[in-house]
Amino acid sequence: MKRVLVVCLGNICRSPIGEGLLRHHAAIQGVRLQVASAGTSGHHVGEAPDRRSVEVMRRHGLDISGQRSAQLTMKDLERYDVVLAMDAANLNDIQALAERLKARGGSPAEVVRFDEHADVPDPYYGGADGFEAVYAQVDAAAAAWVNRWKQPND
Ligand code: 4NP
């Protein structure tokens, strides 16, 4: 079973949506997946997702209100197979942590962007439109990841 961690900055806007949509597409496509999310910052640890993220997911029939923000740790990079970063800044921070783990003799997860072609922009300071755009971008990328993990030899 693939173990996947979705990471953004605060773990209250984008990565909770990513976690929820990966779980959703795994269920639809019949793929066994272990999925969680975390933030590179610890500013919102213990908090539920931003209500705008909860609302956009609810509009699409999904409930992520039970999620709680956690901060990314070095142990996470050993525990998961793949870490999906929402933007290039997240990717950079995760890779720095992965380098520290390697220097200690550990072997970190594969780290890539959630949408391999583009950043998922931070919607925190914008309006509801931004959250709908995050939903659409992350939904398409999540479906593609799960489809890829469905194939043997991956
Ligand atoms: P996220 O969004 O990284 O998608 O969870 C943010 C949430 C909070 C803050 C920034 C981005 N913040 O600065 O508090």
Side-chain angles (χ1 to χ4, degrees), residues 4 8 14 20-21 27 30 42-43 71 80 83 88 94 96 99 107 109 116 118 121 128 131 134 137 147:
V4 185
C8 63
R14 293 167 291 176
L21 283 169
H43 287 112
Q71 185 170 18
Y80 290 91
V83 176
I94 300 161
E99 287 307 314
S107 49
E116 290 176 284
F131 285 77
V134 167
Q137 185 179 0
N147 186 55

Side-chain angles (χ1 to χ4, degrees), residues 76-96:
D76 288 329
L77 300 182
E78 291 192 296
R79 204 176 280 143
Y80 290 91
D81 302 309
V82 186
V83 176
L84 299 177
M86 285 295 175
D87 63 31
N90 306 147
L91 187 73
N92 200 54
D93 290 342
I94 300 161
Q95 280 170 341

Side-chain angles (χ1 to χ4, degrees), residues 1 7 20 25 29 36 46 51 58 79 89 94 103 117 120 123 148:
M1 178 168 52
V7 174
H25 286 288
Q29 298 191 41
R51 66 180 163 70
R58 188 170 289 146
R79 204 176 280 143
I94 300 161
H117 310 292
V120 177
R148 193 186 299 183

